[in-house]
Amino acid sequence: MAQAQMRRAIESGVPDNQQFLHPLLKKNYGNWKYHDRPRPGVLHHVAHGGDEVWTVRAGTQRQMDVFTIRRLCDIADKYAEGHVRFTIRSNIEFMVSAEAKVAPLIAELEKNGFPVGGTGNSVSMIAHTQGWLHCDIPGTDASGVVKALMDELIDEFRREEMPNRVHLSTSCCEINCGGQADIAIIVQHTKPPKINHDLVANVCERPAVVARCPVAAIRPALVNGKPSLEVDEKKCICCGACYPPCPPMQINDPEHSKLAIWVGGKNSNARAKPTFMKMVAAGLPNNPPRWPEVAEVVKRILHVYKADARPWERLSDWVDRIGWPRFFERTELPFTKYLIDDWRGARVNLNASTHIRF
Ligand code: SF4
Ligand code: SF4
């Protein structure tokens, strides 16, 4: 009888990145002597063996059509030895093995509308969530906010003149993929969901919706003889968590879904410990296509930080040093009791279990 054969493993994860690396990066992997930045947007790595690599970083719009991707690949083939990589915050990087290739590559990128920058102490490209393009619950278009804001901040992307690097992010709902950042723009619902009772029984798994609510504000109810749900509006914190599992709990609203700005988030352990961000501006109009009110607040915070922070202070370090009262004085943002909330009672009061309450 034939010997049983081992079944081959089915791999379905990220492929091994080594096969895609620029040959000099592969050859010198983990063996670099030093690196520097000859100009904003360009990294220069020198290996122990003497090899040198110049990396040119450019900003992209993240949501890309196939023509843009083809154009970026054509630029890579013609000007950058056929290699690209997408890196942090939707930037694209091209690697070349000779300094003489850097200037023509930069000129070609800029000519095609891809600004070069985003290294060192610059304002990075804004990390953002999917928005209207391919998510089912967004209250705003994160990609649109990013485009509008980066149009205004492009000079700070191209220069390295901030006290430290500045990461920005946007998020189109309150509860899911919005990330921590030095400055984050996040949707803020201000009214409890409006329930379409005709649809709840057909569309929603009611216990799942009840369990989603962090403050136990949702109860099953019979409305017009049909099974539905009701919301205790005094408890509801307008988080929108009930909307993804139950679209009839409509919370997005052209007028009452606003934008809020949070500052001081940091994910890394570099130089200081990670920090949580805090809300410093709320109730800003969700005003496409340019979101001018949001841009005004973000620019104000950035300019005061740039002028006032010491070298290498991240935004959270700067706020730590000057204190929140001075932050609001210097940025001239109005302070209300709802801002910079660090209510520790949340740990015990908010619903942290999956139990269903009736
Ligand atoms: S942040 Fe929310 S709405 Fe935006 S893409 Fe993520 S889950 Fe969807
Ligand atoms: S999940 Fe959020 S929005 Fe929905 S009822 Fe509960 S608190 Fe209100």
Side-chain angles (χ1 to χ4, degrees):
M1 205 168 101
Q3 204 173 352
Q5 294 285 312
M6 282 279 284
R7 184 174 63 82
R8 287 186 65 185
I10 299 168
E11 295 292 352
S12 57
V14 181
D16 176 11
N17 73 333
Q18 295 275 328
Q19 59 187 310
F20 306 119
L21 289 181
H22 185 286
L24 281 184
L25 297 188
K26 194 169 176 182
K27 180 179 162 203
N28 296 292
Y29 200 83
N31 195 24
W32 300 101
K33 193 170 165 195
Y34 71 90
H35 71 274
D36 54 12
R37 294 194 307 279
R39 54 151 280 174
V42 179
L43 309 170
H44 169 224
H45 284 79
V46 179
H48 283 288
D51 288 333
E52 295 180 66
V53 178
W54 284 262
T55 304
V56 176
R57 178 180 289 186
T60 74
Q61 66 270 48
R62 181 167 184 246
Q63 311 277 25
M64 273 187 266
D65 57 85
V66 72
F67 303 103
T68 308
I69 295 170
R70 282 189 192 283
R71 185 177 309 151
L72 286 166
C73 292
D74 288 345
I75 293 172
D77 282 340
K78 197 159 166 205
Y79 294 88
E81 302 167 7
H83 287 266
V84 295
R85 65 181 174 201
F86 281 96
T87 180
I88 182 170
R89 310 183 99 77
S90 315
N91 294 307
I92 187 167
E93 290 184 350
F94 299 81
M95 283 66 60
V96 292
S97 58
E99 192 173 8
K101 296 182 180 176
V102 172
L105 172 58
I106 291 176
E108 187 64 16
L109 285 166
E110 296 274 357
K111 192 176 98 190
N112 282 278
F114 301 104
V116 170
T119 50
N121 293 352
S122 61
V123 170
S124 75
M125 255 296 290
I126 305 176
H128 71 85
T129 51
Q130 314 307 325
W132 289 327
L133 192 62
H134 53 93
C135 181
D136 54 353
I137 60 167
T140 188
D141 184 27
S143 330
V145 181
V146 167
K147 164 69 179 145
L149 259 182
M150 281 316 281
D151 280 353
E152 309 232 10
L153 301 178
I154 188 165
D155 289 339
E156 296 298 352
F157 175 82
R158 286 192 164 125
R159 299 190 290 235
E160 294 182 352
E161 292 178 358
M162 283 286 155
N164 200 331
R165 64 196 63 225
V166 182
H167 286 171
L168 278 73
S169 70
T170 67
S171 178
C172 36
C173 72
E174 286 183 25
I175 50 165
N176 285 342
C177 33
Q180 289 265 18
D182 295 288
I183 303 178
I185 298 124
I186 299 180
V187 155
Q188 177 193 36
H189 300 299
T190 57
K191 296 265 181 186
K194 281 186 220 146
I195 307 176
N196 183 338
H197 294 289
D198 291 337
L199 288 180
V200 168
N202 303 340
V203 176
C204 309
E205 201 180 315
R206 290 184 307 151
V209 188
V210 172
R212 281 291 284 260
C213 181
V215 290
I218 307 175
R219 288 186 297 262
L222 268 186
V223 179
N224 301 330
K226 283 187 179 170
S228 188
L229 298 162
E230 65 183 3
V231 170
D232 180 343
E233 296 196 352
K234 282 204 246 34
K235 281 188 184 175
C236 175
I237 55 171
C238 309
C239 68
C242 49
Y243 177 48
C246 184
M249 306 280 285
Q250 183 58 245
I251 194 154
N252 287 339
D253 182 281
E255 188 186 343
H256 301 299
S257 291
K258 306 280 191 184
L259 287 163
I261 301 207
W262 300 62
V263 305
K266 173 173 172 285
N267 295 324
S268 79
N269 273 300
R271 296 185 188 89
K273 62 186 180 185
T275 51
F276 283 122
M277 52 194 186
K278 301 268 170 65
M279 187 163 72
V280 297
L284 302 172
N286 185 10
N287 194 3
R290 304 302 302 180
W291 289 271
E293 300 82 0
V294 171
E296 187 341 71
V297 175
V298 170
K299 283 196 294 187
R300 197 188 302 184
I301 295 169
L302 269 177
H303 292 158
V304 177
Y305 163 66
K306 184 176 176 182
D308 199 53
R310 292 177 183 160
W312 298 106
E313 269 180 340
R314 277 293 276 262
L315 212 143
S316 56
D317 304 328
W318 168 62
V319 175
D320 255 7
R321 178 169 61 78
I322 65 170
W324 285 109
R326 281 214 188 89
F327 171 88
F328 284 93
E329 273 165 35
R330 288 180 192 179
T331 55
E332 294 177 13
L333 292 173
F335 178 72
T336 73
K337 65 179 181 177
Y338 302 108
L339 300 176
I340 61 167
D341 182 8
D342 44 10
W343 179 52
R344 286 166 194 217
R347 289 225 174 153
V348 284
N349 278 38
L350 291 187
N351 172 23
S353 83
T354 53
H355 294 116
I356 295 171
R357 290 154 301 276
F358 288 100

